[in-house]
Amino acid sequence: MRGIILAGGTGSRLLPITRGTSKQLLPVYDKPMIYYPLSVLMLAGVRDILVISSPGDLPQYRELLGDGSAIGIRLSYAVQEKPRGIAEAFLVGADHIGDGPVALVLGDNVFHGAGFAELLRPHRSHTDGCVLFGYAVRDPERYGVAEVDEGGRLLSIEEKPDHPKSDLAITGLYLYDNDVVSVARGLRPSARGELEITDVNREYLARGKASLVNLGRGLAWLDTGTHDSLLEASQYIKTIEHRQGVRVACIEEVAVRMGYIDPDQCHRLGAGLASSGYGQYVMRVAEDVRRSAGRAPSGAGLSGPLPAR
């Protein structure tokens, strides 16, 4: 499975702080927002990832993330000339997707919780239909809403309904088989001139190939689209990190614990950021993994090859 992070849009609800930078480069507490969706894909075992953004913002992502080799993954980049809807990501990224399944995550979505990685991994080899992820919210009329039966079977999907049939919002993480490219090509723009992800999901539902995983109360899905929600997300991350002594969405830690890089590589990455608490944390993680591995030789059994293109 390959991955796509859609980091486009104008960030108009966050003006003026997005006037000079992409929304997904803004900090959520102690790290750039895009670290959060990137860590989601890495935790799911996805290592070949395309970042899509606007022509003016893409160079900043290249500067921040490079080609991904430092953390044992492969990153590539593509331009979305104008915000024409989430579903356009499958057209922009068609060559990247190739003939396999794809995971799409929105660049402004934050997921957190114990067991989240384990929840994702069984779906990594998903090759038939689509898998959506639902989360109970108090204001479902702001989102795409999923209706499910008592057994959890997906019955309907509505986009920002006035009278929601449930409180289950569809989050910004989507898994699809390879048919998603042809489905996206067959879409017509909505009244607002965009290719809607809800229309993609409805097509899969009509084919009987859409399912929904309820994230439940043990996990958190955070919105960062407004000034208040961005601040609330930062406060949430700060609270978790201070109480638990861990860093949420630390991509270097994800890389070393997933075996994408070895502890020595991880330590070097932390040393490059040693003047910050983040860098010091990365070095401590490297030492912890090294101890847990019984002081194995550098790289022994800890790093694996990149997936073939």
Side-chain angles (χ1 to χ4, degrees):
M1 176 174 279
R2 292 181 178 169
I4 295 176
I5 301 175
L6 182 58
T10 61
S12 58
R13 290 186 297 165
L14 287 168
L15 287 171
I17 60 175
T18 50
R19 191 180 299 276
T21 190
S22 171
K23 174 175 69 173
Q24 294 83 0
L25 290 171
L26 295 174
V28 176
Y29 185 47
D30 57 351
K31 61 192 72 71
M33 188 185 296
I34 197 171
Y35 274 34
Y36 295 87
L38 177 56
S39 70
V40 166
L41 294 180
M42 293 172 66
L43 285 167
V46 179
R47 299 175 66 184
D48 197 345
I49 299 167
L50 178 71
V51 177
I52 299 177
S53 191
S54 67
D57 293 328
L58 212 56
Q60 299 178 70
Y61 289 102
R62 291 182 185 272
E63 178 68 21
L64 174 66
L65 301 172
D67 64 2
S69 59
I71 52 174
I73 64 174
R74 180 183 287 115
L75 289 173
S76 52
Y77 301 87
V79 169
Q80 184 183 40
E81 294 290 344
K82 294 181 180 179
R84 298 189 182 96
I86 295 172
E88 193 187 29
F90 304 116
L91 306 183
V92 174
D95 289 342
H96 170 75
I97 296 169
D99 58 2
V102 61
L104 171 67
V105 62
L106 303 186
D108 60 357
N109 273 221
V110 176
F111 296 86
H112 174 259
F116 184 53
E118 289 72 20
L119 183 70
L120 293 178
R121 286 173 195 158
H123 301 290
R124 179 175 175 245
S125 58
H126 177 76
T127 56
D128 187 27
C130 79
V131 178
L132 309 174
F133 296 86
Y135 189 79
V137 296
R138 67 174 181 271
D139 49 356
E141 63 277 359
R142 293 179 52 211
Y143 304 95
V145 175
E147 178 193 12
V148 298
D149 63 17
E150 292 182 357
R153 184 171 63 94
L154 185 60
L155 300 177
S156 70
I157 300 170
E158 296 180 289
E159 181 63 24
K160 298 180 180 178
D162 291 333
H163 304 287
K165 295 179 180 178
S166 82
D167 62 355
L168 276 180
I170 296 176
T171 72
L173 173 63
Y174 318 87
L175 309 182
Y176 297 97
D177 63 17
N178 196 252
D179 285 348
V180 72
V181 177
S182 61
V183 170
R185 284 179 177 146
L187 294 181
R188 293 183 178 181
S190 65
R192 59 179 184 169
E194 296 189 358
L195 300 182
E196 305 287 355
I197 195 68
T198 295
D199 289 340
V200 172
N201 297 334
R202 282 174 175 160
E203 175 61 25
Y204 273 97
L205 182 61
R207 298 180 182 186
K209 291 188 173 184
S211 61
L212 181 127
V213 176
N214 189 339
L215 294 180
R217 293 185 178 183
L219 299 173
W221 172 54
L222 306 176
D223 180 18
T224 59
T226 67
H227 297 101
D228 285 345
S229 61
L230 179 60
L231 177 60
E232 289 167 1
S234 293
Q235 291 171 332
Y236 172 86
I237 297 299
K238 177 184 177 182
T239 299
I240 292 294
E241 294 189 350
H242 282 220
R243 286 182 178 177
Q244 299 182 356
V246 299
R247 300 261 173 172
V248 179
C250 174
I251 56 176
E252 296 85 357
E253 179 174 16
V254 174
V256 72
R257 295 198 186 278
M258 292 289 291
Y260 300 163
I261 60 176
D262 63 45
D264 291 341
Q265 291 171 284
C266 182
H267 196 277
R268 285 193 294 271
L269 292 173
L273 304 169
S275 60
S276 69
Y278 183 92
Q280 293 161 20
Y281 174 79
V282 171
M283 289 190 287
R284 289 197 300 271
V285 166
E287 293 292 342
D288 178 62
V289 174
R290 186 181 288 119
R291 284 192 299 270
S292 298
R295 299 185 180 275
S298 176
L302 290 171
S303 59
L306 283 171
R309 286 193 73 89

